[in-house]
Amino acid sequence: MIVSKFLHSENLDSLLEGTFLFKRFDQFHDQPPPIGDWFEGRTSIDIPDYAYRTSHGPTPLGPGWVFGPGATGSSIKNITILYEADLCWISCFSVGVANDMSSQMLFKEPSNYDAAANLMDIERIARLIWGKGRLPSKRPVRSAFTDLQFGRVIYSTSVSQTVTPIGAAYTPPNPFQKARFFEFQKEYRLVLQPKKTKFDKLPSTMLVTCPLTKKLINPVIRSGEFIAE
């Protein structure tokens, strides 16, 4: 599959040499849209009104909740439960060639990207990153991560839901799911899942390098100008 990568011109040559930016997804929570997304890796559950009754003594209401002796029940109103996925590191692209995506991604606030490249086989590149990729420490990617997943982002409204009662079905957080507001980006992602023992030692933003041939990546735009073939 062909995908495009939009970035700043000063970073284009690094990309062409096989350097990919990965960010821990909570780094997007406080950035302004359309780059930032407060729901990145999160599912929000709104509970407008919920009452629970019991006559069987101490009874669990949910994780960390329990009724003491003599209690007959409880009620909850107007609260939001936020489920958060395990933190992972992502690298983002757009499905399709840069020419087709330039009107959506070029010179747009707040990123103001002025360069782009086409990656001609993103699945092969993903396998190269996993098999031969190196962290900033020069250690293999495999030394700090359990696996690398890749695929299209799914756009839906289910990142925010209203359910009653507690325990009703909900969509768990998914690093390949975003709100429909971001659908214009046609995003494709590489997702690195960290090993638990390595998590605290990994920087929130990192550059991962892997060997690429010129057949796998083509520069298309630099300093806002299309590059002649």
Side-chain angles (χ1 to χ4, degrees), residues 83-144:
Y83 293 91
E84 300 205 25
D86 290 337
L87 292 178
C88 55
W89 277 252
I90 61 177
S91 190
C92 307
F93 309 85
S94 293
V95 175
V97 296
N99 304 57
D100 295 339
M101 292 297 298
S102 60
S103 62
Q104 298 286 348
M105 304 295 293
L106 211 62
F107 294 116
K108 300 295 183 180
E109 295 288 351
S111 55
N112 285 310
Y113 294 139
D114 66 343
N118 288 334
L119 288 76
M120 309 309 293
D121 188 341
I122 188 60
E123 291 92 346
R124 182 179 176 186
I125 290 172
R127 289 190 287 269
L128 283 172
I129 290 174
W130 182 242
K132 299 183 179 181
R134 297 283 171 171
L135 302 173
S137 64
K138 306 303 181 183
R139 294 180 59 82
V141 169
R142 290 172 178 262
S143 68

Side-chain angles (χ1 to χ4, degrees), residues 30-104:
D30 296 326
Q31 295 187 34
I35 300 300
D37 180 8
W38 190 84
F39 278 110
E40 189 71 63
R42 291 170 166 170
T43 296
S44 174
I45 307 295
D46 295 324
I47 302 176
D49 190 358
Y50 173 64
Y52 190 90
R53 298 288 181 264
T54 179
S55 59
H56 304 291
T59 304
L61 176 63
W65 293 78
V66 66
F67 293 134
T72 59
S74 181
S75 63
I76 296 174
K77 293 185 178 182
N78 299 322
I79 70 167
T80 298
I81 296 177
L82 192 65
Y83 293 91
E84 300 205 25
D86 290 337
L87 292 178
C88 55
W89 277 252
I90 61 177
S91 190
C92 307
F93 309 85
S94 293
V95 175
V97 296
N99 304 57
D100 295 339
M101 292 297 298
S102 60
S103 62
Q104 298 286 348

